[in-house]
Amino acid sequence: MFDLKEKTLQSLFWSYLDSFGIYFIKFIFSILIARALAPADYGVVGMIAIFIMIGQILAESGFAMALIQKKDANETDYSTVFWFNLTVSVAIYLVLVLSAPAIAGFFRMPILVSIIRVTGISVVLNALKIVHLSVLSKEMNFRKQAFINFAAAMISGLTGVVLAYKGFAVWALVFQTLSGAIITTIGFWMFNPWRPKLIFCLNSFKTLYRYGSKIFLQGISDIVFTKIYFPLIGKHFSAAQLGYYSNANRFYEVFIRQASSAFCRAIFPSFALLQDQKERLKKNFVKTFGLLAYIMIFLTVILISTAKPFISFFLTSKWLPAYPLMIAFFIEGFFFPLFLLNQNMLCSIGKSGLSLQVDLVKKVLTFVSIFIAFKFGVRALILGQVASSFISFLLSTIVSTKLLTVKKKEIAFQMFPIIAIAITCILFDQIIINKLFEIDWMLLIAKVIFISTLYVLLSLLFKVKEFREIFATVKQKLATYS
């Protein structure tokens, strides 16, 4: 039996390398492309985002997590899921092709017909790799995933940059997305020996569907209620406004959602392995909750503090209207990662139905926030989304701690010093650092260095156990390789 802690640490390393390494590359390319394109170009692509993402979640249908969660998944299960996903994805692509004129008519933008039909190909491509991805995740083999995603990030990024500076405008974004889907699909087939067989078992399908359907409902509702803002803004505001929203959301997705997902997708298989060992699972959950809070709150503080000089220096002043939107998004970084961890924990022990119930509450709150905030503008919409996410985080924490019999005060004592340190860093930034430099690049560097240093020093002063845990792990790893 392998050492679960060692395997999990390796998974976290490669999963975070995948996110912070690969997404740093995407981040660089995003800057280069944003400098060349107009906000309206991002707005045009943003108008169809919800349709493509709904297509992708319909094609996947929750089976990826079902395969990972099922302890005794076999060849029949894998092949059944593959053929189902492929069939559904082809059907969805045909629907997108046929409905493209109607969607373009709704937004009064004829170019969307061609964009939808080209971008929609990615739905089929992603369906072809779902099982391969599940097999590697089940084996906790995130190293291969990192290499594949690295290649895809480089090739798709170069594609986007070259086309953007060649004057292809919105098509640079379209082909950047499509090339990324092509490379990842080829990569998973090349580096994963699994191949589908001509098998489709109805019993296998039903077993996986009972679990996966709840994940699917949660996923589809998440897409609808987080991406509904794109068509709403695209229809009732200008394409440029949607472009500001889209790019602010893009950086939020890269730094908050992707980093959180990287952590949780590495933790999910290990939680699933411990689903029958309640005390061990409880101990690991509490420790993981604290570590994730410590890491992601630090990242969020850095993002909020550096957002304005970053936009001004790297994206140029034409993107400054996106600044308040970006800050509103980043605020969610204080608690969204923990909400995602709670949901993953529930799913890993087979409580996908309970996870769905919590998520449905979040969606109802999101709908109410849209109804109330829409007339107050785009920023109000984001803040409404953040408020609904915060309430859902509290609910998911109550449900998770009750299920694992974790004392609420244990979580509160764990969070208090981290939150206190974060508030101190933000105040230090606003009162002192902002007054030190007027040149954007100097201010940006100063913020990163000073805030990082202060965060570490305060962690030492308050003897934050999560910092000691990270320091001890890194020290142990370095000793191993020395």
Side-chain angles (χ1 to χ4, degrees), residues 5 287 290-291 294 417 455-456 458-476:
K5 180 180 179 180
K287 180 185 289 188
L291 287 171
Y294 183 80
Y455 198 84
V456 170
L458 290 175
S459 297
L460 288 169
L461 180 65
F462 290 107
K463 299 180 180 178
V464 176
K465 65 179 182 179
E466 286 74 23
F467 174 76
R468 296 201 306 269
E469 177 78 20
I470 294 171
F471 181 79
T473 302
V474 172
K475 185 178 180 181
Q476 182 184 358

PDB file of all heavy atoms in Angstrom, residues 5 287 290-291 294 417 455-456 458-476:
ATOM      1  N   LYS A   5       0.216  10.081   2.226  1.00  0.00           N
ATOM      2  CA  LYS A   5       0.696  11.454   2.379  1.00  0.00           C
ATOM      3  C   LYS A   5       1.698  11.793   1.282  1.00  0.00           C
ATOM      4  O   LYS A   5       1.630  12.865   0.670  1.00  0.00           O
ATOM      5  CB  LYS A   5       1.339  11.640   3.758  1.00  0.00           C
ATOM      6  CG  LYS A   5       1.871  13.061   3.973  1.00  0.00           C
ATOM      7  CD  LYS A   5       2.494  13.225   5.342  1.00  0.00           C
ATOM      8  CE  LYS A   5       3.033  14.641   5.503  1.00  0.00           C
ATOM      9  NZ  LYS A   5       3.662  14.839   6.839  1.00  0.00           N
ATOM     10  N   LYS A 287      -6.870  19.620   8.514  1.00  0.00           N
ATOM     11  CA  LYS A 287      -5.537  20.084   8.129  1.00  0.00           C
ATOM     12  C   LYS A 287      -5.563  20.724   6.732  1.00  0.00           C
ATOM     13  O   LYS A 287      -4.976  21.785   6.510  1.00  0.00           O
ATOM     14  CB  LYS A 287      -4.541  18.919   8.152  1.00  0.00           C
ATOM     15  CG  LYS A 287      -3.123  19.323   7.755  1.00  0.00           C
ATOM     16  CD  LYS A 287      -2.193  18.129   7.671  1.00  0.00           C
ATOM     17  CE  LYS A 287      -1.886  17.581   9.036  1.00  0.00           C
ATOM     18  NZ  LYS A 287      -0.828  16.521   8.970  1.00  0.00           N
ATOM     19  N   GLY A 290      -7.178  24.232   6.659  1.00  0.00           N
ATOM     20  CA  GLY A 290      -6.283  25.288   7.114  1.00  0.00           C
ATOM     21  C   GLY A 290      -5.201  25.630   6.101  1.00  0.00           C
ATOM     22  O   GLY A 290      -4.906  26.806   5.863  1.00  0.00           O
ATOM     23  N   LEU A 291      -4.610  24.620   5.488  1.00  0.00           N
ATOM     24  CA  LEU A 291      -3.551  24.850   4.501  1.00  0.00           C
ATOM     25  C   LEU A 291      -4.081  25.606   3.287  1.00  0.00           C
ATOM     26  O   LEU A 291      -3.432  26.534   2.786  1.00  0.00           O
ATOM     27  CB  LEU A 291      -2.942  23.512   4.063  1.00  0.00           C
ATOM     28  CG  LEU A 291      -2.033  22.816   5.072  1.00  0.00           C
ATOM     29  CD1 LEU A 291      -1.694  21.414   4.597  1.00  0.00           C
ATOM     30  CD2 LEU A 291      -0.749  23.624   5.295  1.00  0.00           C
ATOM     31  N   TYR A 294      -4.727  29.243   4.199  1.00  0.00           N
ATOM     32  CA  TYR A 294      -3.476  29.981   4.349  1.00  0.00           C
ATOM     33  C   TYR A 294      -2.892  30.367   2.991  1.00  0.00           C
ATOM     34  O   TYR A 294      -2.486  31.518   2.779  1.00  0.00           O
ATOM     35  CB  TYR A 294      -2.465  29.149   5.129  1.00  0.00           C
ATOM     36  CG  TYR A 294      -1.163  29.861   5.404  1.00  0.00           C
ATOM     37  CD1 TYR A 294      -1.064  30.775   6.444  1.00  0.00           C
ATOM     38  CD2 TYR A 294      -0.051  29.631   4.607  1.00  0.00           C
ATOM     39  CE1 TYR A 294       0.128  31.440   6.688  1.00  0.00           C
ATOM     40  CE2 TYR A 294       1.145  30.294   4.843  1.00  0.00           C
ATOM     41  CZ  TYR A 294       1.233  31.197   5.881  1.00  0.00           C
ATOM     42  OH  TYR A 294       2.413  31.874   6.110  1.00  0.00           O
ATOM     43  N   PRO A 417      -6.220  33.646  13.008  1.00  0.00           N
ATOM     44  CA  PRO A 417      -4.910  34.289  12.776  1.00  0.00           C
ATOM     45  C   PRO A 417      -4.623  34.560  11.309  1.00  0.00           C
ATOM     46  O   PRO A 417      -3.984  35.561  10.968  1.00  0.00           O
ATOM     47  CB  PRO A 417      -3.912  33.277  13.361  1.00  0.00           C
ATOM     48  CG  PRO A 417      -4.632  31.981  13.403  1.00  0.00           C
ATOM     49  CD  PRO A 417      -6.066  32.306  13.630  1.00  0.00           C
ATOM     50  N   TYR A 455       3.599  38.911   5.396  1.00  0.00           N
ATOM     51  CA  TYR A 455       2.746  37.731   5.607  1.00  0.00           C
ATOM     52  C   TYR A 455       3.534  36.618   6.317  1.00  0.00           C
ATOM     53  O   TYR A 455       3.038  35.991   7.259  1.00  0.00           O
ATOM     54  CB  TYR A 455       2.204  37.237   4.263  1.00  0.00           C
ATOM     55  CG  TYR A 455       0.996  36.327   4.346  1.00  0.00           C
ATOM     56  CD1 TYR A 455      -0.288  36.872   4.444  1.00  0.00           C
ATOM     57  CD2 TYR A 455       1.135  34.954   4.310  1.00  0.00           C
ATOM     58  CE1 TYR A 455      -1.411  36.046   4.501  1.00  0.00           C
ATOM     59  CE2 TYR A 455       0.024  34.120   4.374  1.00  0.00           C
ATOM     60  CZ  TYR A 455      -1.247  34.668   4.461  1.00  0.00           C
ATOM     61  OH  TYR A 455      -2.356  33.853   4.526  1.00  0.00           O
ATOM     62  N   VAL A 456       4.771  36.404   5.876  1.00  0.00           N
ATOM     63  CA  VAL A 456       5.614  35.364   6.474  1.00  0.00           C
ATOM     64  C   VAL A 456       6.029  35.750   7.893  1.00  0.00           C
ATOM     65  O   VAL A 456       5.968  34.923   8.822  1.00  0.00           O
ATOM     66  CB  VAL A 456       6.864  35.117   5.606  1.00  0.00           C
ATOM     67  CG1 VAL A 456       7.858  34.215   6.334  1.00  0.00           C
ATOM     68  CG2 VAL A 456       6.467  34.493   4.280  1.00  0.00           C
ATOM     69  N   LEU A 458       4.561  37.779  10.050  1.00  0.00           N
ATOM     70  CA  LEU A 458       3.411  37.692  10.956  1.00  0.00           C
ATOM     71  C   LEU A 458       3.026  36.240  11.228  1.00  0.00           C
ATOM     72  O   LEU A 458       2.563  35.904  12.323  1.00  0.00           O
ATOM     73  CB  LEU A 458       2.217  38.457  10.369  1.00  0.00           C
ATOM     74  CG  LEU A 458       2.362  39.985  10.333  1.00  0.00           C
ATOM     75  CD1 LEU A 458       1.173  40.614   9.608  1.00  0.00           C
ATOM     76  CD2 LEU A 458       2.469  40.549  11.747  1.00  0.00           C
ATOM     77  N   SER A 459       3.222  35.378  10.238  1.00  0.00           N
ATOM     78  CA  SER A 459       2.954  33.945  10.436  1.00  0.00           C
ATOM     79  C   SER A 459       3.899  33.362  11.479  1.00  0.00           C
ATOM     80  O   SER A 459       3.505  32.549  12.316  1.00  0.00           O
ATOM     81  CB  SER A 459       3.118  33.184   9.108  1.00  0.00           C
ATOM     82  OG  SER A 459       2.184  33.631   8.147  1.00  0.00           O
ATOM     83  N   LEU A 460       5.159  33.812  11.442  1.00  0.00           N
ATOM     84  CA  LEU A 460       6.133  33.369  12.446  1.00  0.00           C
ATOM     85  C   LEU A 460       5.790  33.938  13.823  1.00  0.00           C
ATOM     86  O   LEU A 460       5.871  33.233  14.841  1.00  0.00           O
ATOM     87  CB  LEU A 460       7.538  33.814  12.037  1.00  0.00           C
ATOM     88  CG  LEU A 460       8.173  33.075  10.850  1.00  0.00           C
ATOM     89  CD1 LEU A 460       9.434  33.793  10.389  1.00  0.00           C
ATOM     90  CD2 LEU A 460       8.503  31.634  11.238  1.00  0.00           C
ATOM     91  N   LEU A 461       5.409  35.210  13.844  1.00  0.00           N
ATOM     92  CA  LEU A 461       5.091  35.883  15.105  1.00  0.00           C
ATOM     93  C   LEU A 461       3.908  35.233  15.807  1.00  0.00           C
ATOM     94  O   LEU A 461       3.934  35.014  17.028  1.00  0.00           O
ATOM     95  CB  LEU A 461       4.805  37.366  14.839  1.00  0.00           C
ATOM     96  CG  LEU A 461       4.442  38.219  16.072  1.00  0.00           C
ATOM     97  CD1 LEU A 461       5.631  38.284  17.031  1.00  0.00           C
ATOM     98  CD2 LEU A 461       4.020  39.625  15.634  1.00  0.00           C
ATOM     99  N   PHE A 462       2.859  34.930  15.031  1.00  0.00           N
ATOM    100  CA  PHE A 462       1.651  34.331  15.606  1.00  0.00           C
ATOM    101  C   PHE A 462       1.697  32.802  15.629  1.00  0.00           C
ATOM    102  O   PHE A 462       0.720  32.157  16.010  1.00  0.00           O
ATOM    103  CB  PHE A 462       0.408  34.798  14.831  1.00  0.00           C
ATOM    104  CG  PHE A 462       0.063  36.243  15.044  1.00  0.00           C
ATOM    105  CD1 PHE A 462       0.288  37.181  14.052  1.00  0.00           C
ATOM    106  CD2 PHE A 462      -0.459  36.669  16.258  1.00  0.00           C
ATOM    107  CE1 PHE A 462      -0.025  38.524  14.249  1.00  0.00           C
ATOM    108  CE2 PHE A 462      -0.777  38.005  16.464  1.00  0.00           C
ATOM    109  CZ  PHE A 462      -0.551  38.940  15.463  1.00  0.00           C
ATOM    110  N   LYS A 463       2.842  32.254  15.224  1.00  0.00           N
ATOM    111  CA  LYS A 463       3.034  30.797  15.239  1.00  0.00           C
ATOM    112  C   LYS A 463       1.898  30.062  14.526  1.00  0.00           C
ATOM    113  O   LYS A 463       1.289  29.133  15.053  1.00  0.00           O
ATOM    114  CB  LYS A 463       3.157  30.296  16.677  1.00  0.00           C
ATOM    115  CG  LYS A 463       4.351  30.883  17.422  1.00  0.00           C
ATOM    116  CD  LYS A 463       4.438  30.370  18.850  1.00  0.00           C
ATOM    117  CE  LYS A 463       5.643  30.968  19.578  1.00  0.00           C
ATOM    118  NZ  LYS A 463       5.733  30.515  20.986  1.00  0.00           N
ATOM    119  N   VAL A 464       1.621  30.507  13.312  1.00  0.00           N
ATOM    120  CA  VAL A 464       0.563  29.894  12.503  1.00  0.00           C
ATOM    121  C   VAL A 464       1.001  28.487  12.116  1.00  0.00           C
ATOM    122  O   VAL A 464       2.034  28.303  11.466  1.00  0.00           O
ATOM    123  CB  VAL A 464       0.283  30.735  11.231  1.00  0.00           C
ATOM    124  CG1 VAL A 464      -0.751  30.050  10.352  1.00  0.00           C
ATOM    125  CG2 VAL A 464      -0.169  32.130  11.626  1.00  0.00           C
ATOM    126  N   LYS A 465       0.224  27.487  12.520  1.00  0.00           N
ATOM    127  CA  LYS A 465       0.637  26.093  12.315  1.00  0.00           C
ATOM    128  C   LYS A 465       0.671  25.701  10.841  1.00  0.00           C
ATOM    129  O   LYS A 465       1.449  24.828  10.446  1.00  0.00           O
ATOM    130  CB  LYS A 465      -0.264  25.135  13.094  1.00  0.00           C
ATOM    131  CG  LYS A 465      -1.709  25.087  12.652  1.00  0.00           C
ATOM    132  CD  LYS A 465      -2.478  24.072  13.484  1.00  0.00           C
ATOM    133  CE  LYS A 465      -3.925  23.962  13.041  1.00  0.00           C
ATOM    134  NZ  LYS A 465      -4.685  22.965  13.830  1.00  0.00           N
ATOM    135  N   GLU A 466      -0.158  26.341  10.009  1.00  0.00           N
ATOM    136  CA  GLU A 466      -0.148  26.029   8.574  1.00  0.00           C
ATOM    137  C   GLU A 466       1.178  26.435   7.945  1.00  0.00           C
ATOM    138  O   GLU A 466       1.701  25.734   7.079  1.00  0.00           O
ATOM    139  CB  GLU A 466      -1.306  26.746   7.858  1.00  0.00           C
ATOM    140  CG  GLU A 466      -2.673  26.157   8.113  1.00  0.00           C
ATOM    141  CD  GLU A 466      -3.219  26.468   9.492  1.00  0.00           C
ATOM    142  OE1 GLU A 466      -2.773  27.484  10.090  1.00  0.00           O
ATOM    143  OE2 GLU A 466      -4.091  25.717   9.977  1.00  0.00           O
ATOM    144  N   PHE A 467       1.724  27.571   8.397  1.00  0.00           N
ATOM    145  CA  PHE A 467       3.043  27.987   7.897  1.00  0.00           C
ATOM    146  C   PHE A 467       4.109  26.990   8.330  1.00  0.00           C
ATOM    147  O   PHE A 467       4.986  26.612   7.543  1.00  0.00           O
ATOM    148  CB  PHE A 467       3.392  29.390   8.412  1.00  0.00           C
ATOM    149  CG  PHE A 467       4.794  29.822   8.067  1.00  0.00           C
ATOM    150  CD1 PHE A 467       5.111  30.231   6.781  1.00  0.00           C
ATOM    151  CD2 PHE A 467       5.801  29.785   9.019  1.00  0.00           C
ATOM    152  CE1 PHE A 467       6.404  30.615   6.452  1.00  0.00           C
ATOM    153  CE2 PHE A 467       7.101  30.168   8.709  1.00  0.00           C
ATOM    154  CZ  PHE A 467       7.396  30.589   7.418  1.00  0.00           C
ATOM    155  N   ARG A 468       4.048  26.553   9.586  1.00  0.00           N
ATOM    156  CA  ARG A 468       5.017  25.591  10.083  1.00  0.00           C
ATOM    157  C   ARG A 468       4.907  24.270   9.325  1.00  0.00           C
ATOM    158  O   ARG A 468       5.918  23.622   9.039  1.00  0.00           O
ATOM    159  CB  ARG A 468       4.804  25.349  11.586  1.00  0.00           C
ATOM    160  CG  ARG A 468       5.055  26.581  12.437  1.00  0.00           C
ATOM    161  CD  ARG A 468       5.342  26.206  13.886  1.00  0.00           C
ATOM    162  NE  ARG A 468       4.289  25.366  14.450  1.00  0.00           N
ATOM    163  CZ  ARG A 468       3.226  25.841  15.101  1.00  0.00           C
ATOM    164  NH1 ARG A 468       3.076  27.149  15.256  1.00  0.00           N
ATOM    165  NH2 ARG A 468       2.330  25.008  15.609  1.00  0.00           N
ATOM    166  N   GLU A 469       3.682  23.888   8.985  1.00  0.00           N
ATOM    167  CA  GLU A 469       3.460  22.647   8.236  1.00  0.00           C
ATOM    168  C   GLU A 469       4.076  22.736   6.846  1.00  0.00           C
ATOM    169  O   GLU A 469       4.771  21.817   6.394  1.00  0.00           O
ATOM    170  CB  GLU A 469       1.956  22.385   8.122  1.00  0.00           C
ATOM    171  CG  GLU A 469       1.576  21.169   7.304  1.00  0.00           C
ATOM    172  CD  GLU A 469       1.758  19.864   8.047  1.00  0.00           C
ATOM    173  OE1 GLU A 469       1.810  19.876   9.286  1.00  0.00           O
ATOM    174  OE2 GLU A 469       1.857  18.821   7.361  1.00  0.00           O
ATOM    175  N   ILE A 470       3.865  23.858   6.173  1.00  0.00           N
ATOM    176  CA  ILE A 470       4.426  24.054   4.830  1.00  0.00           C
ATOM    177  C   ILE A 470       5.949  24.110   4.898  1.00  0.00           C
ATOM    178  O   ILE A 470       6.650  23.481   4.099  1.00  0.00           O
ATOM    179  CB  ILE A 470       3.868  25.346   4.192  1.00  0.00           C
ATOM    180  CG1 ILE A 470       2.371  25.201   3.937  1.00  0.00           C
ATOM    181  CG2 ILE A 470       4.606  25.668   2.889  1.00  0.00           C
ATOM    182  CD1 ILE A 470       1.691  26.490   3.509  1.00  0.00           C
ATOM    183  N   PHE A 471       6.466  24.850   5.881  1.00  0.00           N
ATOM    184  CA  PHE A 471       7.921  24.993   6.031  1.00  0.00           C
ATOM    185  C   PHE A 471       8.573  23.642   6.306  1.00  0.00           C
ATOM    186  O   PHE A 471       9.613  23.299   5.725  1.00  0.00           O
ATOM    187  CB  PHE A 471       8.233  25.971   7.163  1.00  0.00           C
ATOM    188  CG  PHE A 471       9.703  26.201   7.377  1.00  0.00           C
ATOM    189  CD1 PHE A 471      10.419  27.049   6.547  1.00  0.00           C
ATOM    190  CD2 PHE A 471      10.375  25.562   8.416  1.00  0.00           C
ATOM    191  CE1 PHE A 471      11.775  27.257   6.736  1.00  0.00           C
ATOM    192  CE2 PHE A 471      11.740  25.758   8.622  1.00  0.00           C
ATOM    193  CZ  PHE A 471      12.436  26.613   7.774  1.00  0.00           C
ATOM    194  N   ALA A 472       7.950  22.847   7.183  1.00  0.00           N
ATOM    195  CA  ALA A 472       8.502  21.531   7.531  1.00  0.00           C
ATOM    196  C   ALA A 472       8.485  20.590   6.338  1.00  0.00           C
ATOM    197  O   ALA A 472       9.437  19.829   6.113  1.00  0.00           O
ATOM    198  CB  ALA A 472       7.711  20.924   8.690  1.00  0.00           C
ATOM    199  N   THR A 473       7.407  20.655   5.553  1.00  0.00           N
ATOM    200  CA  THR A 473       7.291  19.792   4.369  1.00  0.00           C
ATOM    201  C   THR A 473       8.344  20.149   3.328  1.00  0.00           C
ATOM    202  O   THR A 473       8.992  19.269   2.757  1.00  0.00           O
ATOM    203  CB  THR A 473       5.887  19.907   3.753  1.00  0.00           C
ATOM    204  OG1 THR A 473       4.906  19.549   4.737  1.00  0.00           O
ATOM    205  CG2 THR A 473       5.739  18.989   2.550  1.00  0.00           C
ATOM    206  N   VAL A 474       8.508  21.448   3.088  1.00  0.00           N
ATOM    207  CA  VAL A 474       9.510  21.904   2.116  1.00  0.00           C
ATOM    208  C   VAL A 474      10.918  21.524   2.583  1.00  0.00           C
ATOM    209  O   VAL A 474      11.745  21.045   1.792  1.00  0.00           O
ATOM    210  CB  VAL A 474       9.413  23.424   1.913  1.00  0.00           C
ATOM    211  CG1 VAL A 474      10.580  23.928   1.055  1.00  0.00           C
ATOM    212  CG2 VAL A 474       8.088  23.788   1.267  1.00  0.00           C
ATOM    213  N   LYS A 475      11.169  21.723   3.876  1.00  0.00           N
ATOM    214  CA  LYS A 475      12.481  21.382   4.436  1.00  0.00           C
ATOM    215  C   LYS A 475      12.763  19.891   4.292  1.00  0.00           C
ATOM    216  O   LYS A 475      13.871  19.483   3.937  1.00  0.00           O
ATOM    217  CB  LYS A 475      12.520  21.787   5.907  1.00  0.00           C
ATOM    218  CG  LYS A 475      13.880  21.588   6.565  1.00  0.00           C
ATOM    219  CD  LYS A 475      13.858  22.063   8.010  1.00  0.00           C
ATOM    220  CE  LYS A 475      15.219  21.854   8.680  1.00  0.00           C
ATOM    221  NZ  LYS A 475      15.207  22.296  10.098  1.00  0.00           N
ATOM    222  N   GLN A 476      11.739  19.070   4.558  1.00  0.00           N
ATOM    223  CA  GLN A 476      11.891  17.622   4.433  1.00  0.00           C
ATOM    224  C   GLN A 476      12.185  17.219   2.994  1.00  0.00           C
ATOM    225  O   GLN A 476      13.023  16.353   2.740  1.00  0.00           O
ATOM    226  CB  GLN A 476      10.624  16.933   4.936  1.00  0.00           C
ATOM    227  CG  GLN A 476      10.682  15.411   4.886  1.00  0.00           C
ATOM    228  CD  GLN A 476       9.366  14.781   5.314  1.00  0.00           C
ATOM    229  OE1 GLN A 476       8.427  15.466   5.673  1.00  0.00           O
ATOM    230  NE2 GLN A 476       9.310  13.461   5.273  1.00  0.00           N
TER     231      GLN A 476
END
